[in-house]
Amino acid sequence: MLMTSGVAGRFGSTSTSSMRVLVLPTEGGLSMVEISAGQAGAVLPGLLGDPVVARRCALPGLEFWVGDSVPDGEVNRGASLMLMLLLQDVAAGKYELDVVSRARAARQLASTDWAKVIRGTCVVTGLDDAGVVPAPLGEPFWRWLGLVLVEAHDYGKTEAAQVIAACLGLEIDFGPGDPLPGLRGLESR
């Protein structure tokens, strides 16, 4: 049995007035930044390096934020890969969302109008219940991220798991008896 509980606790906020967000720069890697929960919207432009902020995900409780001033900026391979895997898993029912969200993800994947490539730095946050204000990333996201890596490894795709982890700037350790890969890249940042 795969044990993934407590992952959000490992990477969640250290206080109720702050939250941690993931920052995926274009050059690869990933960092976790703690920001004031009430000021998240004001902090996003600085984290993105762009005064114009746009949303890219359209899933309940989760958002990929990007700068929108330079639409032809450098492709962010890690963020684009993370978004595609997420949408595929939501559409397939592997990520804990409702049927409407699954259908929306499937439409986004099938759409030729909706750009699936993220350009420039990307910040991943949770969203409040209204789907408007950045909020902490929830347990479903952390569980999904761990399972993506474990599944790739379990199906004999260790190389794919390592590529995913490298794109996200994570060190993974598929040691014996360790059902959840060590996410040391997140803990140390």
Side-chain angles (χ1 to χ4, degrees), residues 1-40:
M1 180 176 169
L2 199 56
M3 298 191 55
T4 59
S5 64
V7 179
R10 291 169 61 190
F11 305 115
S13 174
T14 58
S15 77
T16 56
S17 64
S18 67
M19 64 184 214
R20 292 184 178 167
V21 299
L22 299 181
V23 179
L24 293 95
T26 303
E27 61 272 6
L30 177 147
S31 62
M32 190 163 40
V33 176
E34 190 159 331
I35 61 174
S36 168
Q39 297 297 317

Side-chain angles (χ1 to χ4, degrees), residues 14-184:
T14 58
S15 77
T16 56
S17 64
S18 67
M19 64 184 214
R20 292 184 178 167
V21 299
L22 299 181
V23 179
L24 293 95
T26 303
E27 61 272 6
L30 177 147
S31 62
M32 190 163 40
V33 176
E34 190 159 331
I35 61 174
S36 168
Q39 297 297 317
V43 173
L44 283 173
L47 292 174
L48 293 169
D50 193 324
V52 182
V53 176
R55 300 170 72 156
R56 291 303 314 263
C57 190
L59 292 172
L62 186 67
E63 192 60 71
F64 284 56
W65 302 91
V66 296
D68 206 29
S69 293
V70 185
D72 295 330
E74 186 178 349
V75 171
N76 186 325
R77 292 183 62 229
S80 298
L81 176 62
M82 181 185 274
L83 178 59
M84 289 301 298
L85 289 172
L86 178 68
L87 289 173
Q88 288 170 357
D89 283 352
V90 168
K94 294 180 180 180
Y95 187 95
E96 302 168 19
L97 288 178
D98 58 36
V99 174
V100 172
S101 299
R102 289 175 59 191
R104 179 182 293 144
R107 282 192 306 273
Q108 288 177 340
L109 286 167
S111 173
T112 56
D113 296 331
W114 188 76
K116 298 165 189 80
V117 174
I118 292 178
R119 296 181 181 277
T121 298
C122 176
V123 175
V124 182
T125 72
L127 285 175
D128 68 349
D129 291 337
V132 178
V133 178
L137 289 160
E139 183 77 27
F141 175 80
W142 295 115
R143 188 171 26 255
W144 169 79
L145 182 59
L147 290 174
V148 164
L149 297 173
V150 169
E151 186 176 272
H153 179 263
D154 286 350
Y155 286 102
K157 298 179 180 174
T158 303
E159 185 176 336
Q162 290 169 343
V163 168
I164 293 164
C167 283
L168 300 177
L170 302 174
E171 268 185 67
I172 60 172
D173 179 10
F174 293 108
D178 182 8
L180 182 66
L183 298 175
R184 290 186 299 272

